[in-house]
Amino acid sequence: MLNDKTRISVIGSGSWATALAKLLLNNRSEIGWFVRNEATVDYLQEFKRNPNYLREVEFDTNRIHFYTDINQAVEESELLVLAVPAAFIHDLFQPLSVDLSGKAIISGVKGMIAQRDLIVADYLAQDFHVPYSMLGVIAGPCHAEEVALERLSYLTIASGNEDLAAYFATQLRCRYLDASISDDLIGTEYAAVLKNIFALAAGISHGLGYGDNFQAVLIANAIREIARFVAQVHPLTREVNGTAYLGDLLVTAYSKFSRNRTFGTMIGKGYSVNATQFEMNMVAEGYYAVKSIFELNQKLQVFMPITDAVYHILYRRASAREEFKKLSQLLD
């Protein structure tokens, strides 16, 4: 039974984890927070701020129980909030000896488990036997940086379990954030993965010198690509023009805070993938996601010209200019 005494822990220490910890502490007397690096924990306890992300956010650390042991964090929590880049999820859970199947898990991860080409919900269900009824997903449109600045923001909590979604939404709502709920767990999570790929595409086009007119057409086609793909992998009546789908796509494709758009812009300007990753020093989920989605789509055969173009540029070293020239002829 989820209630005010439910023990909630945030897993991760990046910008989104930091923002979620801030939001939860608006409504809860205390939270758990798994931070792998002990030096980061020491800094947080001494200076009340994350030394690496959203440093303007100050925490009352007397209300936070810090963990550096993932087993202890899982053992002592009833609801886990995952906010770790998808590329690190598999390694995070490798040393896990505690049973996950009895935990409620809300995922704020916006990527694929590359080793398995699985979204996080399917990975947790297949590898750790967590029932889908105990899983939820956080969808935007919402950037961690704007949460830190307390700018009005919106989230959608998606789960097949309406009680779980409604409960977690209440844990996040505050004067500067509203949260709604959805039953589209799988479609919402795939849409969150895909929007990062399309933000890469928007960035590449910007780096190549394409203007607002082209990018508007690109994003209009991107939402249709999302609709086709999620309809194939998880048939369900859904309105893809809603905030959890189109809204999240728009903010990720256009915002100055979008690391995927920034990554794409650098690629469009001629940076190599390695140079871009080194320069950013942050994970752009879309880079890993496009490979998983491309491979998955080899079986599904959904028409996905934008995804194909981004994959060819990033993984086959195709000319960005030539790929976008061909792509422009497929858009309408």
Side-chain angles (χ1 to χ4, degrees), residues 285-301:
E285 293 278 22
Y287 170 71
Y288 301 99
V290 70
K291 184 174 185 292
S292 293
I293 293 293
F294 181 87
E295 291 172 349
L296 187 57
N297 198 41
Q298 297 308 292
K299 300 175 185 177
L300 299 174
Q301 292 296 300

Side-chain angles (χ1 to χ4, degrees), residues 77 82 193:
S77 305
L82 290 185
V193 170

